[in-house]
Amino acid sequence: MRLPTNQICLEAPSTSYSCSRCPVAPRLTPSLQYKRHRRQRDTFRCSSSQDNFQTQEAWNRLELITRKLALAISEEDYPLAAQLSSEKQNLSQDLPPVSQYTFHQLQELQKGLETGDVAQQYLSVRKLGGTGDKFALPYLLACLKHGRLSSVAFDAIYAIFMWHPNPEITALMNQACSMISTKEAAVPILDRVIELEPMYYEAFNKRATAFYLARDFEHSIDDCHMTLKLQPDHFLAMSGMGLCYAGLERWDEAIHWFQKSVTIHPHMDQIQTYITKLKSKGFGDTSSL
């Protein structure tokens, strides 16, 4: 959950979260052309499920070979390293073009980390965010723990969270973001997005934000849970859940979710402030949660 700067949690300290990174667009009225899009969506879902499985399998093998290659080089087993390097090259060519590009940028990021080239690190992280490729997420989430990379990694992760291949969905999301502070306007649009793409977790997260801003904390919590069911590492849904429980004055549950969110993104300073203040008031018994 991300909040406009003029919105605050009623009992917790004022939040400074901004929606400025949302790709907000003017109000749009896209022609949905339901029959054609429904047919295209059904075809896409049938084919993409198998494609995603094959890509995941290839990606896992590629990661394993990369680790073995690094070990072979460190042990100076150069014949094995040459064999693994050839396998790595062949396997990377089996990935879809976007994932090939993602893998290349991950290699560039690793080089930047090994050499201390901060400019290369920033460039690679930004390019990874532009791919919309979910396979980049574990690496970008790890970058959140690097202080100097946390901000640019956050932007890249948020871009991937928001990304969707269907321009119709993107247009509706932009429209909803532009009126997120008005539940009556935003929620019906996000309902439509969820109806069209029920596995698109960011639609649930945005609807959670709209409910929270309208002080409808219970519905917001439900959508945060749904977001996390679809994307377990969605730290913004975790922190948003904490804000909702704070709004309900259920402080132990609030600190529980705040702490889960900073486990993934430790550089969310405002959330860390909430945790410190709540602990200073004696809250934080999460043993029964």
Side-chain angles (χ1 to χ4, degrees), residues 165-221:
N166 187 339
E168 173 192 353
I169 298 298
T170 300
L172 289 170
M173 286 292 285
N174 288 344
Q175 186 180 7
C177 284
S178 71
M179 51 186 71
I180 199 72
S181 297
T182 307
K183 184 181 83 167
E184 293 75 12
V187 168
I189 298 171
L190 294 165
D191 289 343
R192 172 63 66 184
V193 173
I194 291 167
E195 178 186 352
L196 294 172
E197 293 292 347
M199 301 301 289
Y200 181 35
Y201 52 82
E202 194 56 33
F204 288 98
N205 186 53
K206 286 293 180 287
R207 194 170 68 177
T209 303
F211 282 133
Y212 170 81
L213 294 174
R215 297 174 51 81
D216 187 349
F217 301 125
E218 297 289 356
H219 280 111
S220 183
I221 288 169

Side-chain angles (χ1 to χ4, degrees), residues 3-21:
L3 306 178
T5 53
N6 63 340
Q7 300 292 336
I8 62 173
C9 176
L10 295 180
E11 298 296 337
S14 176
T15 180
S16 62
Y17 285 134
S18 168
C19 281
S20 60
R21 293 189 183 96

Side-chain angles (χ1 to χ4, degrees), residues 16-82:
S16 62
Y17 285 134
S18 168
C19 281
S20 60
R21 293 189 183 96
C22 289
V24 175
R27 295 191 179 192
L28 302 173
T29 54
S31 175
L32 297 181
Q33 301 177 23
Y34 294 114
K35 292 183 179 179
R36 180 172 60 86
H37 281 303
R38 187 178 296 115
R39 186 164 56 249
Q40 290 174 342
R41 268 198 317 278
D42 293 343
T43 302
F44 173 77
R45 284 172 180 160
C46 292
S47 61
S48 65
S49 177
Q50 180 66 21
D51 290 343
N52 286 339
F53 175 79
Q54 292 174 347
T55 301
Q56 182 69 67
E57 189 176 53
W59 192 272
N60 292 341
R61 289 171 56 203
L62 193 54
E63 287 183 319
L64 177 61
I65 290 173
T66 300
R67 290 195 295 271
K68 287 183 176 180
L69 176 58
L71 180 61
I73 292 173
S74 69
E75 294 178 348
E76 299 184 358
D77 188 344
Y78 297 117
L80 177 59

Side-chain angles (χ1 to χ4, degrees), residues 9-12 212 216-222 225 238-259 274 278 282-286 288-289:
C9 176
L10 295 180
E11 298 296 337
Y212 170 81
D216 187 349
F217 301 125
E218 297 289 356
H219 280 111
S220 183
I221 288 169
D222 288 343
H225 277 300
M238 296 175 189
S239 61
M241 193 107 70
L243 291 172
C244 289
Y245 281 119
L248 294 169
E249 299 188 19
R250 292 162 61 175
W251 305 113
D252 288 331
E253 289 161 291
I255 197 171
H256 169 74
W257 286 103
F258 287 153
Q259 288 177 322
Y274 292 170
L278 288 172
F283 299 106
D285 180 9
T286 61
S288 62
L289 299 180

